[in-house]
């Protein structure tokens, strides 16, 4: 059987490592083309020695010698920096995992699509910042966009064999994150350490903090709108503390399809890895008799205002998602470096949207890559300035 050629952008991250875990259990089915990492050079070397990709790419120059030395006895090519990352994305593969965190993941995904690879999309920021562009590339190249985010994988799976025009609504579930039950005055004092623990999922630090602020759900609302061409009115959010139901699709005849599974990303990753087939993954199964009951509640939009911002961004349309995401990434950096408090993130993101979209109308620019990267930069600068003003 022909091996499936896989590239993984963000191989040293949480999604990347889970993907390699699944590939490692079924080595004969896959061949690795690219493994890219950021600064975690030890993990990148370990993965490169184990999987012997065609090329391995790290982020910064000071890693070059270490990487070259470690791989000197192998056939693995070594690349460093952004240009090498983008070049590696053009290498022929069947399926590229977009698992870099942040808007930095957009371009490798677009290039992979342009070069004929199906895209396993964990990087939700791509759809938020540039949904129409990503979809356009996929259509032009006749490639599949396969969601990896658990909620979107759930919707994608529930829609197999269905007519998307029959969708009435889509419900994204949310665990509620680390501060689900915290009062506002306590959330205001939250530290990065407290925000970096998730009750159910084991993920990278940035998405974990975004889960605590519900910015993650806000991004996912926009991601769902873009991926499945929904209207904002069709998308709802329900807090479901157990994280067993990942999403529910309601159809026009009143029938609803829910997708369930343990909170383990390897289910969604395995589905994308083997799409359109399914393979035995040998992961934990849910025991409903033990679980007993599932609970759901409406999200508290006062304590978690990021959800409201997602609807604001969807009504603005255009490339406002790029502003939203870039401002969100910048305020997260501000919170991580303790320049601003947890509850100061949302107002700064909102002010950035007001300035660039409501006042300057930049979101109405054509949704091409140059404009998206430009507006991303502008939003980062404005949000960074607002953070500075907040401190002074
Ligand atoms: P991690 O922070 O764990 O990993 C991010 C990866 O991207 C690492 O390999 C990191 O390298 C690399 N990276 C970071 N910045 C850059 C950059 N500027 N250039 C090149 N590479 C870079 O993130 P996650 O795995 O948690 O998330 C990845 C994506 O998947 C995100 O978009 C997230 O929202 C999405 N996602 C994640 C889920 C999860 O379970 N983790 C669930 C659903 C979606 P290094 O670590 O070596 O510095
Ligand atoms: Mg998710």
């Amino acid at each position: 059987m022909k091996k499936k050629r896989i590239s993984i952008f963000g191989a040293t991250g949480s999604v990347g490592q889970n993907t390699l875990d699944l590939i490692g259990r079924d080595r004969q089915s896959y061949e690795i083309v690219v493994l890219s990492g950021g600064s975690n050079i030890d993990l990148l070397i370990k993965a490169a020695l184990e999987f012997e990709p065609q090329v391995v790419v790290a982020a910064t120059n000071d890693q070059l010698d270490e990487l070259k030395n470690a791989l000197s006895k192998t056939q693995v090519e070594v690349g460093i920096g952004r240009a090498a990352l983008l070049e590696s994305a053009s290498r022929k593969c069947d399926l590229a995992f977009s698992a870099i965190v942040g808007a930095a993941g957009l371009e490798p995904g677009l290039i992979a699509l342009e070069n004929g690879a199906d895209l396993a999309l964990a990087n939700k920021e791509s759809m938020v910042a540039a949904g129409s562009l990503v979809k356009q590339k996929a259509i032009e190249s006749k490639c599949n966009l396969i969601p990896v985010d658990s909620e979107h994988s759930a919707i994608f799976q529930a829609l197999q064999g269905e007519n998307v025009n029959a969708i009435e609504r889509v419900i994204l579930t949310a665990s509620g994150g680390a501060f689900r039950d915290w009062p506002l005055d306590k959330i205001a004092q939250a530290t990065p350490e407290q925000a970096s623990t998730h009750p159910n999922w084991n993920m990278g630090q940035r998405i974990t903090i975004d889960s605590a602020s519900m910015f993650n759900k806000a991004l996912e609302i926009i991601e769902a709108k873009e991926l499945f061409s929904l209207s904002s009115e069709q998308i709802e959010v329900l807090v479901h503390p157990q994280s067993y139901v990942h999403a529910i699709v309601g159809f026009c005849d009143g029938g609803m399809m829910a997708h369930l599974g343990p909170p383990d990303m390897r289910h969604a990753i395995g589905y994308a890895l083997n799409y359109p087939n399914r393979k035995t993954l040998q992961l934990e199964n849910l025991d409903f008799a033990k679980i007993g009951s599932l609970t759901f509640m409406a999200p508290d939009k006062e304590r978690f205002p990021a959800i409201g911002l997602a609807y604001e961004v969807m009504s603005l349309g255009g490339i406002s998602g790029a502003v939203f995401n870039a401002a969100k990434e910048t305020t997260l950096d501000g919170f991580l470096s303790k320049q601003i408090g947890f509850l100061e993130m949302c107002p700064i993101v909102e002010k950035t949207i007001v300035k660039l979209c409501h006042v300057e109308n930049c979101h109405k620019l054509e949704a091409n890559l140059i404009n998206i990267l430009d507006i991303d930069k502008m939003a980062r600068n404005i949000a960074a300035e607002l953070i500075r003003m907040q401190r002074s």
Side-chain angles (χ1 to χ4, degrees), residues 174-300:
S175 68
F179 306 146
R180 186 185 62 224
D181 302 319
W182 287 31
L184 257 183
D185 55 344
K186 195 174 167 198
I187 298 178
Q189 304 304 322
T191 63
E193 294 70 30
Q194 288 167 322
S196 301
T197 55
H198 198 283
N200 304 334
W201 296 91
N202 186 7
M203 310 184 286
Q205 187 187 32
R206 295 183 76 88
I207 184 176
T208 302
I209 300 178
D210 284 349
S211 297
S213 62
M214 289 238 188
F215 264 121
N216 180 49
K217 209 49 56 183
L219 295 175
E220 289 183 356
I221 292 169
I222 303 169
E223 183 188 12
K225 176 181 184 290
E226 294 295 335
L227 272 172
F228 305 107
S229 302
L230 300 168
S231 70
S232 56
E233 294 79 29
Q234 287 175 296
I235 307 169
E236 299 166 33
V237 172
L238 266 186
V239 174
H240 166 51
Q242 296 89 3
S243 297
Y244 294 137
V245 178
H246 301 312
I248 303 168
V249 180
F251 294 95
C252 56
D253 58 3
M256 304 187 93
M257 301 268 278
H259 177 281
L260 292 87
D264 181 337
M265 278 306 292
R266 289 174 299 181
H267 286 280
I269 293 169
Y271 184 79
L273 189 60
N274 300 308
Y275 177 82
N277 302 312
R278 286 186 187 266
K279 276 194 175 180
T280 305
L281 296 178
Q282 278 164 351
L283 300 170
E284 187 201 342
N285 263 327
L286 289 183
D287 180 340
F288 287 105
K290 255 194 202 154
I291 292 167
S293 58
L294 301 171
T295 51
F296 301 93
M297 62 201 90
D300 180 341

Side-chain angles (χ1 to χ4, degrees), residues 10-15 37-40 85 99-102 104 122-125 149 202-204 207 265:
T12 50
S14 166
V15 170
S39 54
N40 193 340
L85 174 67
I100 290 176
V101 66
N123 180 271
K124 63 192 80 185
E125 297 89 343
D149 211 345
N202 186 7
M203 310 184 286
I207 184 176
M265 278 306 292

Side-chain angles (χ1 to χ4, degrees), residues 83-386:
L85 174 67
L86 300 185
E87 184 281 320
S88 73
S90 69
R91 299 200 183 199
K92 281 281 165 237
C93 68
D94 300 306
L95 179 66
F97 273 84
S98 175
I100 290 176
V101 66
L106 170 61
E107 279 177 281
L110 289 174
I111 293 171
L113 281 172
E114 272 167 10
N115 285 277
D118 286 343
L119 196 64
L121 196 72
N123 180 271
K124 63 192 80 185
E125 297 89 343
S126 292
M127 290 316 283
V128 174
S132 62
L133 188 59
V134 175
K135 282 190 287 187
Q136 185 195 325
K137 291 276 181 222
I139 291 167
E140 280 168 10
S141 307
K142 299 189 176 62
C143 293
N144 292 305
L145 279 180
I146 311 164
V148 171
D149 211 345
S150 57
E151 299 78 359
H152 306 74
S153 172
I155 297 167
F156 188 71
Q157 293 182 48
L159 287 178
Q160 293 302 307
E162 298 288 350
N163 183 342
V164 288
N165 296 323
I167 302 175
E168 189 186 57
R169 61 187 179 138
V170 156
I171 301 172
L172 303 174
T173 57
S175 68
F179 306 146
R180 186 185 62 224
D181 302 319
W182 287 31
L184 257 183
D185 55 344
K186 195 174 167 198
I187 298 178
Q189 304 304 322
T191 63
E193 294 70 30
Q194 288 167 322
S196 301
T197 55
H198 198 283
N200 304 334
W201 296 91
N202 186 7
M203 310 184 286
Q205 187 187 32
R206 295 183 76 88
I207 184 176
T208 302
I209 300 178
D210 284 349
S211 297
S213 62
M214 289 238 188
F215 264 121
N216 180 49
K217 209 49 56 183
L219 295 175
E220 289 183 356
I221 292 169
I222 303 169
E223 183 188 12
K225 176 181 184 290
E226 294 295 335
L227 272 172
F228 305 107
S229 302
L230 300 168
S231 70
S232 56
E233 294 79 29
Q234 287 175 296
I235 307 169
E236 299 166 33
V237 172
L238 266 186
V239 174
H240 166 51
Q242 296 89 3
S243 297
Y244 294 137
V245 178
H246 301 312
I248 303 168
V249 180
F251 294 95
C252 56
D253 58 3
M256 304 187 93
M257 301 268 278
H259 177 281
L260 292 87
D264 181 337
M265 278 306 292
R266 289 174 299 181
H267 286 280
I269 293 169
Y271 184 79
L273 189 60
N274 300 308
Y275 177 82
N277 302 312
R278 286 186 187 266
K279 276 194 175 180
T280 305
L281 296 178
Q282 278 164 351
L283 300 170
E284 187 201 342
N285 263 327
L286 289 183
D287 180 340
F288 287 105
K290 255 194 202 154
I291 292 167
S293 58
L294 301 171
T295 51
F296 301 93
M297 62 201 90
D300 180 341
K301 291 183 183 153
E302 211 175 303
R303 282 185 307 135
F304 300 105
I307 303 239
L309 273 186
Y311 286 91
E312 160 79 11
V313 168
M314 288 190 293
S315 80
L316 279 165
I319 54 174
S320 59
V323 175
F324 178 56
N325 178 64
K328 194 270 323 167
E329 288 191 37
T330 308
T331 58
L332 177 54
D333 289 336
F335 173 66
L336 276 168
S337 58
K338 303 196 175 170
Q339 296 183 75
I340 52 170
F342 193 78
L343 292 179
E344 285 167 315
M345 290 192 282
C346 218
I348 291 176
V349 173
E350 191 170 10
K351 281 182 191 159
T352 310
I353 292 170
V354 168
K355 176 150 177 48
L356 276 177
C357 303
H358 291 278
V359 178
E360 295 181 12
N361 271 315
C362 293
H363 63 294
K364 293 187 175 158
L365 292 167
E366 191 193 330
N368 59 38
L369 186 60
I370 293 175
N371 287 341
I372 288 164
L373 296 181
D374 273 356
I375 206 170
D376 170 286
K377 208 167 167 188
M378 284 156 73
R380 282 173 206 268
N381 287 338
I382 291 168
E385 180 58 27
L386 289 167

